Amino acid sequence: QVQLVESGGGLVQPGGSLRLSCAASGSISSIYATAWYRQAPGNERELVAEIITGGGTNYADSVKGRFTISRDNAKNTVYLQMNSLKPEDAAVYYCVARVLFSNYWGQGTQVTVSS
C-alpha cells in the first residue's frame, strides 16, 4: 500500500507560479514512477507530467517549458513546479504513484488561475 498526500494548490493570477508537493508513505520501494494528473470541470482527467524512478520525465505538450517535475528521495516527495500559469491550467491536480499492476491516487489539490 502507498499513501499520497498532495499540497500546494491555491489561487494564483495568470502568469504566476505554484509548487505542488506529493508526499508518499507506505511501500515506497514499490513505486516505479510518480505522475501528476489534472481534471477540470467537464474535462477528462489528463496526464500532466511523470517522473520515472530512473530519473526520466515526460510532460504533456501543453505544459512543456512551463512545468517541471522533480523529486526529493530523502523526503519521499515529488514536486510539480508550475510557472507561467494560464487560466486553462486551472483544475484539480492529482498525484499518482505507479506500482506493478496498480496505481495509487492522492486526494487531489485545487489549482485556480484567475485575476
Side-chain angles (χ1 to χ4, degrees), residues 35-94:
W36 286 96
Y37 282 75
R38 67 185 180 188
Q39 187 169 23
N43 291 355
E44 294 186 355
R45 196 169 290 185
E46 63 173 346
L47 177 65
V48 176
E50 183 175 30
I51 186 164
I52 314 301
T53 300
T57 57
N58 297 306
Y59 294 92
D61 288 343
S62 59
V63 307
K64 282 180 181 177
R66 300 188 298 123
F67 291 11
T68 303
I69 190 169
S70 63
R71 65 166 180 248
D72 184 334
N73 290 331
K75 296 182 179 180
N76 295 324
T77 299
V78 171
Y79 303 98
L80 184 68
Q81 178 66 44
M82 306 186 294
N83 298 328
S84 303
L85 282 160
K86 305 175 181 180
E88 52 263 42
D89 293 318
V92 178
Y93 283 70
Y94 298 90

Side-chain angles (χ1 to χ4, degrees), residues 28-34 50-54 71 97-103:
I28 304 297
S29 61
S30 65
I31 300 172
Y32 68 82
T34 304
E50 183 175 30
I51 186 164
I52 314 301
T53 300
R71 65 166 180 248
R98 305 195 193 282
V99 303
L100 192 62
F101 303 129
S102 187
N103 292 320

